[in-house]
Amino acid sequence: MERVPILKIGDILLVSIQLDMSDQTAVALQEDLAERIVATGCHGVIIDITALDIVDSFVGRMLSTIASISRVLDAETVVVGMRPAVAITLVELGLSLNGIRTALNVERGMELIAADRAYDDHDDDFHDGPDPEPTASP
Amino acid sequence: MERVPILKIGDILLVSIQLDMSDQTAVALQEDLAERIVATGCHGVIIDITALDIVDSFVGRMLSTIASISRVLDAETVVVGMRPAVAITLVELGLSLNGIRTALNVERGMELIAADRAYDDHDDDFHDGPDPEPTASP
């Protein structure tokens, strides 16, 4: 069985989907990804679908499942590289990729995740009370 | 025909090879990569072969060709993610991947390229003489 490779770049795990996903490949990817998130402590997962001509309900469901698994492991999932034709077909099929964030390309996906983490950290600081050192900003 | 997606991350183009490469796919990848290097001005190409169980002479030659094309376009190529079994087979087959640099994973590949660029820049500075201001350089 073919496995989709998972690449670690900084705080992010990158998955580039190029194969037609079978049930087995999809399940293996979910398991591998969950294990890698736990092993590395990464806070972001970027799934690149540049190579996909079609995103059907099966792939859509797989992406949703991956996003849900990542979320409970404290990692944000962003799907990047969707082709215009894929976006049109998705809408025509009535698939809305609920709960999945998207970005135009890998770089923007990374920015999105970094911004989210910065916001979360800021939020934590706020609840902890202001820090006396880097001085007083709300 | 299937095309291998090329992802831009900062100053680096990342290619994750997951398919069995046909002649056509290999040629298309070389062309796409050359075009992207020129279009983006990237100085590094990372080719991830984690998903490959076998690197035969055809794939070896393709990697060499990509490295040569990138070199004349002022980009460094690093092959990452080679499996132990692949390394053993390569040596047994007498293929030495001449002229190709390797790294253990994407992150180390990025560090390698960044270190090379820093060295090159330093080298340029040395030959130009130290800069007093951002003004006046040839």
Side-chain angles (χ1 to χ4, degrees), chain A residues 40-77:
Chain A
T40 59
C42 281
H43 287 301
V45 175
I46 293 183
I47 302 177
D48 168 67
I49 58 168
T50 318
L52 297 188
D53 288 320
I54 298 167
V55 172
D56 55 12
S57 59
F58 175 71
V59 173
R61 194 148 25 87
M62 184 195 70
L63 295 175
S64 293
T65 309
I66 288 176
S68 303
I69 294 172
S70 304
R71 199 170 298 122
V72 292
L73 293 172
D74 191 25
E76 182 88 31
T77 303

Side-chain angles (χ1 to χ4, degrees), chain A residues 24-107:
Chain A
Q24 284 187 322
T25 321
V27 170
L29 175 60
Q30 288 162 17
E31 288 175 357
D32 290 350
L33 207 44
E35 273 170 29
R36 284 295 292 274
I37 292 172
V38 172
T40 59
C42 281
H43 287 301
V45 175
I46 293 183
I47 302 177
D48 168 67
I49 58 168
T50 318
L52 297 188
D53 288 320
I54 298 167
V55 172
D56 55 12
S57 59
F58 175 71
V59 173
R61 194 148 25 87
M62 184 195 70
L63 295 175
S64 293
T65 309
I66 288 176
S68 303
I69 294 172
S70 304
R71 199 170 298 122
V72 292
L73 293 172
D74 191 25
E76 182 88 31
T77 303
V78 181
V79 171
V80 306
M82 189 184 296
R83 298 192 190 181
V86 169
I88 292 168
T89 314
L90 272 181
V91 172
E92 283 176 352
L93 287 175
L95 301 171
S96 56
L97 297 186
N98 274 328
I100 299 177
R101 305 186 67 175
T102 52
L104 208 54
N105 53 40
V106 176
E107 286 183 317

